[in-house]
Structures are given as C-alpha cells and as structure tokens.
Amino acid sequence: MATTVAPVPEIVAHEVERPNEGWTSWFTTTDHKKIGIMYMVTTFAFFVLGGVEALMIRLQLSVPDNNLVTPQVYNQLFTMHGTTMIFLFVVPFMAGLGNYFLPLMIGARDMAFPRLNALSYWLLLAGGIVFYASIFWTPPEAGWSSYVPLSSITYSPSGGQDAWIFLIHLTGLSSLLGAINFYATIANMRAPGMSWGRLPLFVWALLTYSVLLIFALPVIAAAVTMLLTDRHFGTHFFDPTNGGSALLWQHLFWFFGHPEVYIMILPGFGVVSEILPVFAHKPIFGYKAIAASTVAIAFLGFLTWAHHMFTTPTPLVVLIFVMLSSFLIAVPTGVKILNWIATLWRGSIEFKTPLVFCAGFIALFLIGGISGVFLAVFPVDWQLNDTYFVVAHIHYVLMGGAVFTIFAAIYYWFPKVTGRMLSEKLGLWSFWWMFIGFNLTFLIQHVMGLDGMPRRVYEYSNTGHLALYNMISTVGAFVLAFGILLTIINVARSLKVGVVAGPDPWKGNTLEWFMTSPPPVNNFDTIPRVRSVEPMKDIRREIERRTSGAPAPSPATVPTGARQIGV
C-alpha cells in the first residue's frame, strides 16, 4: 500500500526589522539601563536649576538690608530650591542608580516590570515640568514643607501652590511604582546562589529604600489631597476655625518627611559600602551588621517624625519618647560609620576619586549627625528651632551626605555606563573645591544660628558679625558651585576623549563588572552562580586557576566566602 508523503512547507525568509537605535528610541525604551540614564541626566539637570536658585538666595543674603530680589521672589526661590533638591534630584537620582545597576548587580536581565519602569520615569518628568511651568505665572511661595495656613488659598491664592501639590502627586506616584518594581525585582530575579545573605549592600539599601517609600508615600499623598480639597472644594481639614487642625498637616507631612531623609541617604550608604572595600582591597567589615543596621534605621525612622515639631503644643511624655527615639536611631548609623572606618583600617588603600568622595561624605555626615543629636534634645531645640543652625544641619546631612555619595557613584560607575574613564585629576580638583566650598558655606551657619539668625528671612540687620558670616557663606557657595562645574566638565570631556575603561577597571566585587562596558542589551549571556558576597573575586580566582592549570580545590578546602564560581 502506497504511503502519501506530506509536502514540506516552503520556508520563506523574512527580513527582520532592525531595532530602532536612534535618539527616538529613548522615548519608547523599556531597557532599564536607558531608563536609568534618563533618570540621572534629567535629575542632574534639575540639580543644576536648584543650585542656581541657591546661589541667588546666597547673593540676596550676602550683605545686610539687600534688595537684589523682592521678598516675594525670595520666598519663591527657597521654595523652588528645597522642593527641587528633595523631590526632583536626590530621591529620583537614587532611583536612576537603582534602575541602571540593580538588575546588573543581582544577575537579572531587566527589571520585573519594564513598562511600569518606563512609566515611573515619565511621571517624574511630568511632575518636574508641571512644577517649573509655574515660573511663567506665579511659583509657589510656602516653602518646601508648605505649612498651613501659609499654603491655604487665603495666603497662597496663586496656581503655584497647586503646581507644588501636583508635583508631589506625580513624583510620589513615580517613586511608588519604582519602589514596587525594585522590591519585586530583588525578591524574584536574583542570580542562582544569591541568597539574602549574599545581596550586595547597595541592593540591601535599595530594598530598604523601597519599603520606606511604599509605607511613607501614601501618607503625603493623602495630605496633599486634603490640602487641595481645602483650597478648592470647601473642606476644612487644616482650618482650625472650622473644626480642622493646622498641626494635622505637620504630623502628616513629617510622618512622610522624616523617613524621606533616610529614603534619600540609605542608597548613599549602600554606595559607600560598595566603594570602600574595592579601594581598600579588603572585604567589607561587618557585612551582616551593615545590612541589619540598614533595616534598623528604616524601622526607627518612623518613630521620630515629631522631633520636627518640638516647639508645638506636645505632652512632655511624647517629647521625651521622641527625643530618646532620635538618640536611638544614631546607634545603627554609628555602626555603619565604625564598620566603614574598620574597612579602611590597614587596607591597601588606593586613593581614587570615588574613595575620596566617600571619605569626604563620612566626615561631613558625621558633623551633620552630631548637630542632629544636639537638636534632638528638645530644650536645646526650643532655642535653635528655625535658626540657621537647622539650615546647617540639614545641609550637612543631605548635601554633605546624599550629594557627596551621588558624586562618588558618578565617578565609580561612569566607566561601566559609558565605557570611558573620568579624569582623575579633574575629579580630585572637583572634590577639593566642593569639600572646601561646602564647609565655607555651611559650617559658619552653625554660628549664625547660635547668634540667633532666623531661617527663611529675606533680609537681616547688620548686628554682631552676621554680615561677615553671611559673606563667607556666600563666597563658599560659589566655590562649591565651581567644584560641581568641574565634574560637569569632566563628564562632558570624558564622553569624547576619556580613556577606554574595559569591563572591570576597578577590580570590583559585584556582578555589574562581569560584562562589557557599556553592558549589552540583554546584560548577561550566561548568568554566573553566586557563592559569596564578592562574586567577582570568585570569578577572577577561577579564571586565574584555569589559566595556570591548577586543579580545582575540593569544596571542603575552600574557605567560606571564597568558594570558587564557575564562569
């Protein structure tokens, strides 16, 4: 019986459309690396705008009884400056670092939700555009914390305050979506063998940052929604003449605002914890203690919001509890600092720019922490509240803390992002101008505060030495700005003529150095198995063993934390 042979289907070759690699691809990309770059470039542009606003503030205060800008413009400047630096620079820049490096460090090929990741960036950009569009009409004037009744429709009738509210909503939603994405990625997409006890410390910081955002952002979203309805829809949440409470705004804002301080600084702690062991050429001291202290800071951060309200009518027992909680949160922070110093102790230290910025951060953040302990003593705070001592404190914590770690991250990871090295000479010059300028600007402000100069003032009388102190502070601000400009020049120059970096110029410890610089679209052709907290050291040891032809050691003879890894 004859069998019928089935015809072979004809194979037709189709031309595969090449992916769009032009500039328009940035508008539609879901690649976490491109999204991370867009985050960092956009937020750094906002940083420059916020810096210009700060220089204008310092010019106004450089001499007594100055009339360079009007009182209204001055209020707008410090509102725009504070809001920009916190909501449009530090927090989203850290999100940009996380977007770029989190998948690379845990051995993932992308974020858990790529499209949600792209949406989070575009929401951030929309918030910044809405906020800065107000300069064409009337910018907000109620300060970055927008206390009521100053932010009510009675005292801030312009649309600028509404633009501030919309900024908080849009950037808050952006951060919330990003935080959920970070958490899902870390929980579900780690490389084989990367247990919770082997996570890079920067990833631990991002995990804690994400949890803090998830818990804190709904509170500020509710607060600004209530403010919006008070302003336009006849509610009275914050109006004490109609059953509301002005203090309710402060409680809601600072329940978000104090954890926000740690949201800004915890990723910076993670950056320092990654950089120090690389340039000390020794393992991080106290890995588990640093990871545990990160979690402890997140928990305690929710217990101390009321220390921003020591001068409000508050029962004594609450004042004591908040004071002790504020003291307690210094303990895990101190654990980190001691472990960082122990990491450097007797290490073969290589004084490169990333390490120098980290060392500068430790010094400046320590000063900010000590002044914070002073302010946590509520009788002391009663005297120093709303003086320039508080201005100095917050800048040592956030500018000296978060911003110096951001610059350390730029110098450390720029070769991975671009494939080129930044100039060490320009980098060190940038650091010293920034470090000296920062201390000239803000160290003297402690003395201004002790002399009684109030913050948020448009002008002041020539009493005591305030004129001299303010002039020193203003000169320091321009020295600081010049140091930042040197880094901008360094980046622009190195993009064209920087030395080619290669895949692992620093001999790093984590998996982002496993691939080419810049990384390929899919990140990893082969995802390596992780067997310690320093997987790249394991990979280099295995390569050296195979090159030398030495036999593979048995697992019983390999020390814990130094087990070999297949490549």
Side-chain angles (χ1 to χ4, degrees):
M1 181 177 178
T3 57
T4 305
V5 179
V8 178
E10 183 180 0
I11 299 175
V12 180
H14 295 280
E15 183 179 351
V16 177
E17 184 179 356
R18 293 175 62 84
N20 183 4
E21 296 179 354
W23 65 270
T24 56
S25 66
W26 293 84
F27 292 98
T28 58
T29 185
T30 57
D31 181 359
H32 72 95
K33 297 181 290 297
K34 284 189 173 181
I35 293 170
I37 291 171
M38 290 193 295
Y39 259 109
M40 290 185 280
V41 172
T42 301
T43 54
F44 204 92
F46 283 124
F47 173 61
V48 172
L49 287 174
V52 171
E53 291 154 1
L55 292 177
M56 293 179 69
I57 291 170
R58 286 312 320 163
L59 283 173
Q60 168 61 26
L61 296 173
S62 58
V63 294
D65 304 313
N66 200 0
N67 58 1
L68 178 66
V69 298
T70 65
Q72 182 184 27
V73 169
Y74 182 83
N75 289 342
Q76 293 166 355
L77 283 172
F78 80 73
T79 301
M80 300 283 283
H81 166 70
T83 304
T84 298
M85 291 304 192
I86 290 171
F87 295 104
L88 290 173
F89 174 55
V90 176
V91 175
F93 192 96
M94 296 300 187
L97 285 176
N99 265 282
Y100 197 101
F101 290 104
L102 170 60
L104 302 179
M105 296 179 85
I106 66 172
R109 288 193 167 91
D110 207 325
M111 298 288 285
F113 307 109
R115 293 182 180 178
L116 198 67
N117 199 27
L119 177 61
S120 66
Y121 166 75
W122 292 110
L123 286 170
L124 166 74
L125 181 61
I129 291 172
V130 167
F131 183 63
Y132 268 89
S134 67
I135 66 175
F136 298 106
W137 292 277
T138 305
E141 305 174 51
W144 78 272
S145 56
S146 286
Y147 278 7
V148 291
L150 185 58
S151 58
S152 67
I153 195 72
T154 303
Y155 299 102
S156 296
S158 75
Q161 190 60 42
D162 295 320
W164 184 89
I165 293 171
F166 296 144
L167 164 82
I168 302 302
H169 270 307
L170 289 168
T171 58
L173 184 58
S174 167
S175 295
L176 185 60
L177 295 178
I180 293 170
N181 212 349
F182 283 160
Y183 184 88
T185 304
I186 296 168
N188 298 291
M189 300 179 68
R190 303 189 302 277
M194 185 172 281
S195 63
W196 292 104
R198 293 171 179 166
L199 278 182
L201 288 168
F202 180 64
V203 177
W204 266 113
L206 287 176
L207 178 67
T208 313
Y209 156 100
S210 302
V211 172
L212 281 171
L213 282 170
I214 290 169
F215 280 100
L217 283 171
V219 178
I220 190 64
V224 296
T225 301
M226 293 157 71
L227 179 59
L228 185 67
T229 58
D230 272 14
R231 287 174 58 84
H232 297 292
F233 299 104
T235 58
H236 303 285
F237 292 108
F238 306 119
D239 183 1
T241 63
N242 286 279
S245 170
L247 287 181
L248 175 61
W249 169 264
Q250 293 192 36
H251 280 291
L252 292 174
F253 183 86
W254 289 117
F255 187 81
F256 153 81
H258 193 73
E260 176 81 348
V261 173
Y262 300 106
I263 288 166
M264 288 186 277
I265 199 63
L266 281 176
F269 289 169
V271 169
V272 174
S273 298
E274 295 298 338
I275 292 176
L276 292 185
V278 171
F279 293 100
H281 296 285
K282 57 183 288 195
I284 188 74
F285 185 91
Y287 167 90
K288 291 181 180 179
I290 293 177
S293 65
T294 300
V295 178
I297 288 171
F299 173 74
L300 294 171
F302 280 105
L303 302 180
T304 58
W305 82 89
H307 71 210
H308 296 271
M309 302 171 59
F310 275 156
T311 55
T312 62
T314 305
L316 182 62
V317 65
V318 175
L319 294 177
I320 294 172
F321 173 80
V322 174
M323 179 180 71
L324 294 177
S325 299
S326 302
F327 290 163
L328 186 60
I329 204 169
V331 174
T333 307
V335 167
K336 287 182 178 294
I337 292 174
L338 289 174
N339 278 273
W340 291 332
I341 294 173
T343 301
L344 294 173
W345 184 256
R346 293 187 176 180
S348 300
I349 297 175
E350 189 177 4
F351 284 99
K352 297 293 186 179
T353 306
L355 178 68
V356 173
F357 269 101
C358 288
F361 150 78
I362 294 173
L364 298 177
F365 189 79
L366 186 61
I367 294 173
I370 292 171
S371 63
V373 172
F374 292 157
L375 292 170
V377 182
F378 60 86
V380 175
D381 187 83
W382 288 344
Q383 307 302 317
L384 297 176
N385 186 269
D386 274 340
T387 69
Y388 259 76
F389 191 94
V390 178
V391 176
H393 162 68
I394 194 171
H395 281 88
Y396 266 90
V397 170
L398 295 184
M399 177 73 186
V403 176
F404 269 69
T405 63
I406 284 173
F407 275 72
I410 290 171
Y411 279 90
Y412 181 60
W413 277 313
F414 183 87
K416 178 54 59 179
V417 176
T418 67
R420 294 185 179 272
M421 302 293 292
L422 287 166
S423 164
E424 276 295 309
K425 183 177 180 180
L426 275 177
L428 292 173
W429 274 104
S430 175
F431 167 78
W432 285 111
W433 280 87
M434 287 179 64
F435 188 79
I436 293 169
F438 178 86
N439 283 290
L440 277 175
T441 305
F442 297 109
L443 192 62
I444 199 73
Q445 289 184 5
H446 292 97
V447 182
M448 291 158 59
L450 291 171
D451 278 3
M453 181 170 175
R455 62 195 294 200
R456 306 188 184 98
V457 292
Y458 156 69
E459 58 185 5
Y460 57 95
S461 301
N462 188 12
T463 56
H465 300 288
L466 288 183
L468 175 62
Y469 296 159
N470 275 284
M471 180 56 72
I472 292 173
S473 185
T474 300
V475 171
F478 280 88
V479 173
L480 171 60
F482 181 72
I484 294 169
L485 179 61
L486 287 177
T487 287
I488 295 173
I489 294 171
N490 198 356
V491 168
R493 172 187 173 277
S494 298
L495 284 172
K496 292 186 176 182
V497 299
V499 176
V500 175
D504 188 12
W506 306 124
K507 303 300 180 187
N509 296 330
T510 43
L511 288 180
E512 74 270 26
W513 305 107
F514 181 67
M515 66 210 66
T516 59
S517 302
V521 174
N522 63 328
N523 292 350
F524 296 91
D525 293 328
T526 301
I527 297 176
R529 175 170 289 277
V530 175
R531 300 188 185 277
S532 77
V533 296
E534 297 177 324
M536 279 304 296
K537 281 189 178 180
D538 298 335
I539 291 170
R540 284 192 290 271
R541 289 192 192 101
E542 177 66 10
I543 292 173
E544 290 172 2
R545 182 191 67 79
R546 293 185 181 184
T547 301
S548 64
S554 64
T557 63
V558 179
T560 301
R563 292 179 180 172
Q564 305 304 308
I565 182 170
V567 182

